[in-house]
Amino acid sequence: HSDKQISEAVVSTQSTGDIDEALRRRLEKRIYIPLPETVGRRALLDINLRSLEIEDGLDFDKIAEDMEGYSGADITNVCRDASMMSMRRRISGLTPEQIKAIPKDELNMPITAQDFTEALKKVSKSVSEQDIEKYMKWMDEYGAV
């Protein structure tokens, strides 16, 4: 039995150029985690939407394909935006008094394919091709797995 304690640190950044050289040398493993592929995007959709009401027949696989190049955070933002679309449509043009008078069941409508189409138009990808090239170049130079 040893009293020796082991500790690990996990560090995450999108700004690889800002990592100090001395710190970089001390980071034993330096890995690049790519953007989620279709299966991962589908799993993220399931996670983000698990407690929400969804229109019957919504094609999650197509939505996952449509989100090619989206990060996990981007996907969360798309889901959040899509979940608010029906409410936004319902209250559009109403006064605060009229909005307060709307029954709750009219605000809690299922998320539809149209909601996702609109959300994808509003929520852009946050990682560019240039960003990915920069991360890959950094991994070629400093990566250690």
Side-chain angles (χ1 to χ4, degrees):
H1 173 268
S2 171
D3 289 337
K4 191 176 188 180
Q5 291 185 339
I6 298 174
S7 62
E8 293 184 34
V10 177
V11 180
S12 172
T13 184
Q14 291 182 344
S15 303
T16 54
D18 293 341
I19 298 175
D20 175 75
E21 181 182 345
L23 173 61
R24 187 181 64 240
R25 284 194 311 264
R26 287 175 179 79
L27 298 174
E28 196 172 306
K29 304 279 187 200
R30 294 174 297 278
I31 62 172
Y32 166 66
I33 300 172
L35 294 173
E37 295 190 6
T38 306
V39 171
R41 293 191 301 272
R42 170 60 201 259
L44 287 166
L45 282 171
D46 291 340
I47 290 167
N48 280 286
L49 301 172
R50 67 178 162 230
S51 64
L52 301 174
E53 193 174 339
I54 307 296
E55 172 185 59
D56 288 338
L58 189 62
D59 188 350
F60 286 104
D61 293 330
K62 179 178 180 334
I63 295 167
E65 289 173 17
D66 290 346
M67 289 194 288
E68 174 78 35
Y70 280 70
S71 70
D74 297 337
I75 292 168
T76 297
N77 290 337
V78 169
C79 290
R80 186 177 303 123
D81 209 64
S83 72
M84 301 295 287
M85 288 294 179
S86 62
M87 183 183 68
R88 288 183 186 126
R89 280 192 298 275
R90 178 63 181 92
I91 67 172
S92 179
L94 299 179
T95 66
E97 294 77 25
Q98 292 170 319
I99 293 169
K100 288 178 190 174
I102 298 172
K104 276 190 178 183
D105 63 325
E106 289 185 28
L107 295 176
N108 294 329
M109 302 299 291
I111 301 171
T112 67
Q114 177 188 351
D115 296 334
F116 272 100
T117 300
E118 290 178 31
L120 283 167
K121 288 177 186 172
K122 291 178 62 176
V123 179
S124 300
K125 301 173 191 177
S126 64
V127 181
S128 69
E129 288 296 323
Q130 292 82 10
D131 291 334
I132 293 171
E133 288 172 17
K134 179 178 69 174
Y135 300 144
M136 297 307 293
K137 183 178 180 219
W138 190 89
M139 278 303 294
D140 287 343
E141 191 170 344
Y142 303 111
V145 289

